[in-house]
Structures are given as C-alpha cells and as structure tokens.
C-alpha cells in the first residue's frame, strides 16, 4: 500500500487529474454530438503523459529537490530510480496507444507533448522564461486536446476550448513565475537560470502581477460577448479574479516564503474554480 501512495506522490496525482479534467472540459465545450470514447481515452492519455513528465522532472531534479523539495519521493529514496524510469516509459507508451485509437490529431498532439516535456526536462527548464512558456502552453493544450478528441474540424472555433486554453496558459505562466521565486535557492546552487535570478524577485513579481491583470481583462471577454451566463461571471469575477488579484498585490508588497506558498496554492485552487465556472456557464 505504501508503494501505491508513494507512486501517487511521485506522479503528483492532483496535477494529473487536473490535466484530465482539462481534456474533459475541452471536449464538453466542443460537443456537437454526444461521444464518450474519444474524450475518455484522451483524458486518460493526458493523465499518463502528465504523470510521466512529472516523473522525468523528478529524475532530473534530484539535486535541486534536496534543497527545494526535500519531501519528494526520489529524494527520500522510497522508490527506486529504475522503478521511476519504467513507470515513465510505460505511461507514455500506453498514452500514445490510446491517442492512436482516437484519431491522428490527438495522436500527433500526444507525441508532441511527450517530446516537449522531454525537451523541457532535459534543456528548457534551465533557460529563463522558455521552460515557463512550455509548461504554460501544455497546460492550455489539454483543453484543445479535448476538442480534438470530439471533432477536430471545430476544436478551434469560438467560443470553445480555445477560450479556457488561453486562460490556462496565463494562469500557468503566473504560477510558474511564483514557483521560480520559491525555488531560487535550490536553482542557484545547481546552475539553473530562471527569471527571478536574471531580473530579481521584485521585478519577477511585477511580471506575474502584470500577466494576471491581462488574464483578468480577458476573462471579461466572454461576458461582454455574451458567450457565458451569470454563473460564469459570479464565479470568475468574485471567486477567482478579485481574490487572487488582491493576493498577488499583497505578495508584491510582502514577498515572504509563507506568502509565496499561499499564493502558489491559491493559484492552483483558482484554476479549479475557473474550470467550475466554465462548466457552470
């Protein structure tokens, strides 16, 4: 039982579930006819690819995590490196097989995402901003993948999965900057160059706040265009935009470790509430 729990910790199961939910939401926003097989298989594939990416990330970052994340599974050695490698390979293999059974568009997307995650973990993570952009882009792509699993011909129509994809991209980008600020000490000891190391913590917080302001403005577009109803407006504006904007302003003024942790967790919760707003639209 402990092996199962440690495996769930290794793959970061909550992140994987959020990737799956993103696919399902993207599919729901595309449905012209009810079809369950494609979205379900794509959601499982997204879970597996996310899991493999997280495992590879931990395999590459053991030394960094000794400083930044000493509670990580591979740092504590509760699971072996051989087990972790086998888990990542099998997860990616099964994900590609599932994607091939859906359609060529989803299969191509799956292969591209796996390649992008490998590139990120092997190289881009150590290049300021580039790695953040990749992770943010992949976060948004889960919604597009859901649309592709239903009907590739309309997956990019407005309003559709492209709307939450843009929101998710900016959300992830803000959170990536916050996480880089949290990890400055460990990254600097292992030669990883991130945005806070290049321009400083305060300027990085200004970047994060500016990006979130852009996101807030964009969340009003569906309201103005009449795409979504009052539930979307209430949840998005009053439960996500305003509280998180206030929190980021407070963080900008008081960038303590506790505030950074609270903000990072709040942004993750905000993503979940944003998905709820889209489902309740």
């Amino acid at each position: 039982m402990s092996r199962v729990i440690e495996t769930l910790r290794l793959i970061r199961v909550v992140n994987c579930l959020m990737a799956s939910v993103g696919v399902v939401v993207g599919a729901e926003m595309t449905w012209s006819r009810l079809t369950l097989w494609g979205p379900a298989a794509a959601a499982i594939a997204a879970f597996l690819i996310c899991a493999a990416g997280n495992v590879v990330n931990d395999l590459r970052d053991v030394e960094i995590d000794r400083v930044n994340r000493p509670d990580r599974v591979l740092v504590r050695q509760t699971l072996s490196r051989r087990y972790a490698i086998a888990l990542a390979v099998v997860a990616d293999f099964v994900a590609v097989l599932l994607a091939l059974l859906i359609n060529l568009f989803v299969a191509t997307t799956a292969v591209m995402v796996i390649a992008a995650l490998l590139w990120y973990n092997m190289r881009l993570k150590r290049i300021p901003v580039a790695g953040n952009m990749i992770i943010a882009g992949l976060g948004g792509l889960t919604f597009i993948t859901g649309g592709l699993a239903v009907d590739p011909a309309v997956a990019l129509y407005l309003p559709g999965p492209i709307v939450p994809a843009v929101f998710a991209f900016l959300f992830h980008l803000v959170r990536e900057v916050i996480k880089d600020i949290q990890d400055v000490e460990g990254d600097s000891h292992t030669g990883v160059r991130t945005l806070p190391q290049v321009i400083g913590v305060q300027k990085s917080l200004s970047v994060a706040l500016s990006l979130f302001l852009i996101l807030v403005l964009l969340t009003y577009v569906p309201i103005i265009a009449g795409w979504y109803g009052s539930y979307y407006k209430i949840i998005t504006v009053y439960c996500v935009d305003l509280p998180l904007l206030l929190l980021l302003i407070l963080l900008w003024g008081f960038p303590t470790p506790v505030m950074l942790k609270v903000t990072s967790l709040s942004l993750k919760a905000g993503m979940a509430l944003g998905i709820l707003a889209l489902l309740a639209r």
Side-chain angles (χ1 to χ4, degrees), residues 99-271:
L100 283 168
L101 293 174
I102 302 169
N103 59 51
L104 186 59
F105 292 95
V106 176
T108 302
T109 301
V111 172
M112 288 174 59
V113 170
I114 291 170
L117 283 170
L118 286 172
W119 190 23
Y120 165 80
N121 283 311
M122 299 301 175
R123 173 64 177 164
L124 290 183
K125 180 181 173 68
R126 287 152 177 80
I127 300 176
V129 182
N132 303 138
M133 296 287 286
I134 287 291
I135 294 301
L138 295 181
L141 192 58
T142 58
F143 297 94
I144 303 296
T145 303
L148 293 174
V150 173
D151 189 347
V154 299
L156 298 182
Y157 284 8
L158 287 172
I162 195 168
V163 173
V166 172
F167 293 167
F169 172 80
L170 289 168
F171 239 121
H172 279 281
L173 199 53
V174 171
R175 189 162 183 267
E176 283 293 303
V177 174
I178 301 300
K179 286 168 60 181
D180 280 350
I181 296 171
Q182 286 181 285
D183 294 345
V184 163
E185 184 181 353
D187 290 342
S188 61
H189 277 96
T190 52
V192 175
R193 296 282 288 168
T194 58
L195 185 66
Q197 291 174 275
V198 175
I199 67 174
V201 169
Q202 203 62 46
K203 288 182 179 178
S204 296
L205 287 171
S206 296
V207 169
L209 182 56
S210 299
L211 288 170
F212 194 78
L213 281 170
I214 293 171
L215 172 60
V216 168
L217 292 174
L218 287 176
T219 59
Y220 280 85
V221 172
I223 299 172
I224 296 169
W227 294 337
Y228 308 149
S230 58
Y231 290 119
Y232 166 86
K233 179 180 179 179
I234 292 169
I235 297 172
T236 301
V237 175
Y238 300 108
C239 300
V240 180
D241 287 354
L242 295 179
L244 286 178
L245 183 58
L246 177 59
L247 187 58
L248 282 164
I249 292 171
L250 288 173
L251 177 64
W252 184 85
F254 305 97
T256 64
V258 172
M259 280 296 295
L260 284 166
K261 184 175 182 178
V262 169
T263 303
S264 181
L265 291 173
S266 298
L267 284 167
K268 183 179 284 190
M271 292 180 197

Side-chain angles (χ1 to χ4, degrees), residues 66-101:
R66 290 191 200 281
V67 179
N68 291 336
R69 302 285 190 274
D71 60 328
R72 287 277 164 89
V73 171
L74 296 181
V75 174
R76 292 185 288 112
Q77 297 183 335
T78 52
L79 294 175
S80 68
R81 287 181 62 85
R82 180 178 294 182
Y83 175 83
I85 292 169
L87 180 64
V89 170
V90 171
D92 277 340
F93 180 74
V94 174
V96 172
L97 283 182
L98 283 172
L100 283 168
L101 293 174

